[in-house]
Amino acid sequence: MTQEHQGGDRGWSAARKGVWSRLRFTSLRLRLVVVFGLVALTAAVSASGIAYWLNRESVLTRTQDAVLRDFEKEMQNRAGALPEHPTQDELQRTAGQMANSSQRFTVLLVAENPEGQTVYGSSGGLNGFSLGDVPESLREAVTERQKITAGNKYPHHLYWQRIVEDDTPYLVAGTKLIGGGATGYMLKSLEPEAKDLGSLAWSLGIATGLALIGSALLAHAAATTVLKPVQRLGTAARRLGEGKLDTRLRVSGTDELADLSRTFNKAAEALEKRVADMAARDEASRRFVADMSHELRTPLTAITAVTEVLEEELEFEGGGIDPMIQPAVRLVVSETRRLNDLVENLMEVTRFDAGTARLVLDDVDVADQITACIDARAWLDAVELDAARGIHARIDPRRLDVILANLIGNALKHGGSPVRVSVREEPGGVTEDVEAAEGAEGAEAADASGGTVVIQVRDHGPGIPEEVLPHVFDRFYKASASRPRSEGSGLGLSIALENAHIHGGEITAANSPDGGAVFTLRLPRDVSAAESGEKAGDAGDQGAEGDA
């Protein structure tokens, strides 16, 4: 895959993540739209339900009242004109006349003929409306004779009931003529009214959907209005976290978000001023240390020359130094060396702080380099070396010597003899975490670097107290305030760590389960390849950010 394709894939992936971040369920925008939608849906459904129910009752009641009035009128005028014992033909003819009313309902008349037989007359013919189509409860209510009271003047009344057959609603009513005569039943289809109510329901449903869509659009617009300042605030906060302290927000309006933007600008301004002041003080401090170190080198050169002469006089058997002052002379020589080392360490620290420390790489045999370091300091009798020849690395020999001298010297001074130095090789990068974080590009860089060289320095002393372990690489840190001044300046391990970092490596401190402290140095075998891999990874990250 080419670099252009990789950049395009990263851009598409970043765009997809951006869309998903706006749509994920934890998004404030989505929550606002959902809440607005639920409120609008609840209101629309409630209003539509109430409107449908009211219109349904109004339509059905109006139709029902009109049909019942017309049926009652027909029963009084036409069925009331029949004899008390009509014939079937008379019932059939009267039922047909009643069905021709304005409401167009179906009529069934039931009576006893002169021979005492029950006869029927239906406007729908022989297969039309029959007594079996009338609910039994309605027939019982119609035929039952009511007791005459002060509140009930008639023994029979008009009763009605709504039924549904074959998904079609009907209105069924019945009554009996007062004083004897025919009993009439009416069947009226409510299908037209049901269709009208169905159309009304569809209309209300469409109105509810439109209200829901409108509320979603309004919620989106409101969310955009609210979230744009929040997004700008988040972007500004990220830029501030990246060190761009001049980031400011444009403030408009007088609402709470505008107050938040003003507060952010004030905080950013105060932070920028505070950081600038701290940077200025830090720069002044570094300049002071650097200037002081340089200024001290001139008198130290002269003092060192004098102390060398005094040291030669001390070693000369026939020297002219009074034995009474020899301890003082030895102390001066020792402290002069210590002061010289301190000045050199301070100058090295200032170079690290200023970022001017550079590597001078060379191919070295790690075992030979450790042997040279031990031999130069006459530590051969106190140090055990477990390192096979042939482990080569491309590193800075001088800085590796500084690291080894500090680690081994610290072990000899504060630990217990013997001090054991071991060397081994590990495949891959300095740490597996770095490889996992950098992905394929980091793995390729690790393969190009040829693995890692691991150097362990272990002593047989009491170990490092647990409360001291996190601070062993801090500058000027001493485990005890009562430590003698001659034990060091507290810069050695810090300088060793900085030299490891400049190589792309790491130093860790721990206590061995068998006793004693263990310092582990990890360095890439080829620092130049590791640096090129890191630059490639950084370039890829920047390309991905640009695509996003």
Side-chain angles (χ1 to χ4, degrees):
M1 183 181 289
T2 62
Q3 186 174 359
E4 289 80 2
H5 289 166
Q6 291 176 351
D9 292 341
R10 291 194 188 99
W12 167 248
S13 177
R16 184 173 57 187
K17 289 180 180 178
V19 172
W20 174 245
S21 66
R22 291 192 293 271
L23 295 179
R24 66 183 187 275
F25 290 104
T26 56
S27 170
L28 182 58
R29 181 189 302 273
L30 182 59
R31 282 186 284 175
L32 283 174
V33 171
V34 170
V35 169
F36 269 70
L38 289 177
V39 172
L41 182 63
T42 303
V45 168
S46 301
S48 299
I50 294 173
Y52 178 79
W53 182 77
L54 292 176
N55 280 276
R56 179 179 180 276
E57 290 301 316
S58 175
V59 169
L60 293 179
T61 302
R62 184 170 59 250
T63 302
Q64 175 181 294
D65 291 346
V67 171
L68 294 178
R69 281 196 303 269
D70 195 34
F71 175 65
E72 187 176 18
K73 180 180 178 182
E74 292 294 328
M75 284 292 294
Q76 291 175 355
N77 295 336
R78 297 188 183 275
L82 290 171
E84 184 176 356
H85 299 286
T87 64
Q88 184 174 3
D89 292 337
E90 291 175 335
L91 286 178
Q92 191 74 28
R93 183 173 56 254
T94 303
Q97 293 173 351
M98 293 175 64
N100 289 328
S101 68
S102 60
Q103 297 298 324
R104 296 296 177 180
F105 42 72
T106 303
V107 177
L108 173 65
L109 296 177
V110 182
E112 291 184 357
N113 60 11
E115 290 78 17
Q117 298 176 341
T118 303
V119 292
Y120 303 91
S122 175
S123 63
L126 295 177
N127 297 325
F129 184 36
S130 64
L131 197 61
D133 297 326
V134 180
E136 184 178 356
S137 59
L138 182 61
R139 294 200 304 267
E140 292 177 355
V142 169
T143 57
E144 183 180 1
R145 183 180 180 85
Q146 302 291 329
K147 184 178 181 179
I148 304 298
T149 62
N152 182 28
K153 299 179 180 180
Y154 305 103
H156 299 286
H157 298 276
L158 175 65
Y159 297 95
W160 59 270
Q161 186 175 344
R162 294 175 191 166
I163 61 174
V164 178
E165 290 186 4
D166 299 330
D167 297 330
T168 303
Y170 293 94
L171 175 65
V172 182
T175 187
K176 186 176 180 65
L177 291 175
I178 300 173
T183 301
Y185 295 96
M186 177 274 300
L187 179 68
K188 169 67 175 177
S189 174
L190 299 178
E191 186 175 4
E193 288 73 15
K195 290 182 179 180
D196 292 341
L197 292 175
S199 299
L200 176 63
W202 273 104
S203 300
L204 293 175
I206 293 173
T208 301
L210 293 176
L212 184 61
I213 295 173
S215 67
L217 295 176
L218 289 175
H220 180 72
T224 301
T225 303
V226 174
L227 294 181
K228 272 188 176 179
V230 177
Q231 291 174 348
R232 287 198 295 266
L233 181 61
T235 302
R238 284 192 297 271
R239 289 173 58 86
L240 200 65
E242 293 170 357
K244 300 174 182 178
L245 302 180
D246 58 342
T247 302
R248 299 292 185 274
L249 288 172
R250 179 173 55 86
V251 180
S252 60
T254 58
D255 55 8
E256 290 81 359
L257 291 174
D259 292 339
L260 181 60
S261 298
R262 293 188 186 94
T263 303
F264 176 86
N265 289 341
K266 292 179 181 178
E269 184 179 357
L271 180 61
E272 183 180 18
K273 184 177 183 301
R274 179 66 61 84
V275 171
D277 292 342
M278 292 178 63
R281 287 196 296 268
D282 187 56
E283 179 63 26
S285 176
R286 286 201 301 268
R287 189 182 302 113
F288 170 75
V289 173
D291 293 344
M292 181 188 69
S293 301
H294 282 285
E295 291 297 329
L296 285 175
R297 295 193 70 178
T298 301
L300 270 178
T301 302
I303 295 174
T304 302
V306 173
T307 55
E308 289 176 353
V309 174
L310 292 175
E311 190 175 13
E312 291 176 358
E313 289 293 331
L314 287 173
E315 294 175 354
F316 183 62
E317 295 181 357
I321 297 180
D322 189 343
M324 297 294 294
I325 64 172
Q326 283 185 5
V329 173
R330 295 184 188 277
L331 179 61
V332 170
V333 172
S334 174
E335 291 299 311
T336 300
R337 289 176 179 171
R338 181 174 178 275
L339 182 59
N340 202 1
D341 291 340
L342 176 60
V343 171
E344 291 297 331
N345 288 339
L346 287 174
M347 293 185 66
E348 188 74 6
V349 167
T350 57
R351 281 192 287 269
F352 283 124
D353 289 343
T356 58
R358 295 291 180 267
L359 293 175
V360 180
L361 301 179
D362 193 9
D363 292 324
V364 299
D365 188 301
V366 178
D368 290 343
Q369 187 71 23
I370 297 174
T371 302
C373 174
I374 296 173
D375 188 35
R377 292 162 179 82
W379 291 339
L380 289 175
D381 295 335
V383 178
E384 296 178 357
L385 179 60
D386 179 15
R389 295 178 58 85
I391 301 178
H392 291 273
R394 183 169 178 77
I395 54 181
D396 188 328
R398 185 187 70 83
R399 296 190 181 277
L400 178 60
D401 182 78
V402 171
I403 297 173
L404 294 172
N406 278 291
L407 294 181
I408 299 173
N410 183 77
L412 290 172
K413 186 180 298 181
H414 303 293
S417 296
V419 173
R420 184 179 179 84
V421 181
S422 60
V423 181
R424 70 176 187 274
E425 295 179 274
E426 286 184 355
V430 175
T431 61
E432 298 298 331
D433 294 338
V434 173
E435 290 183 5
E438 293 179 352
E441 294 174 354
E444 291 174 0
D447 293 338
S449 67
T452 304
V453 176
V454 180
I455 303 174
Q456 281 191 338
V457 178
R458 177 190 171 189
D459 61 53
H460 289 77
I464 305 173
E466 292 297 327
E467 67 274 8
V468 177
L469 272 176
H471 306 286
V472 293
F473 296 105
D474 293 350
R475 294 178 183 177
F476 301 106
Y477 180 80
K478 294 184 180 182
S480 175
S482 62
R483 272 175 46 184
R485 294 172 57 251
S486 60
E487 289 191 8
S489 62
L491 289 175
L493 291 179
S494 173
I495 292 174
L497 183 62
E498 294 289 349
N499 278 297
H501 286 169
I502 200 173
H503 280 87
E506 185 61 61
I507 303 177
T508 58
N511 289 316
S512 174
D514 299 329
V518 180
F519 286 83
T520 304
L521 168 66
R522 286 182 170 85
L523 295 176
R525 291 189 62 179
D526 191 346
V527 176
S528 58
E531 287 179 347
S532 62
E534 289 178 0
K535 291 179 180 177
D538 293 341
D541 293 341
Q542 292 173 1
E545 291 175 1
D547 294 338

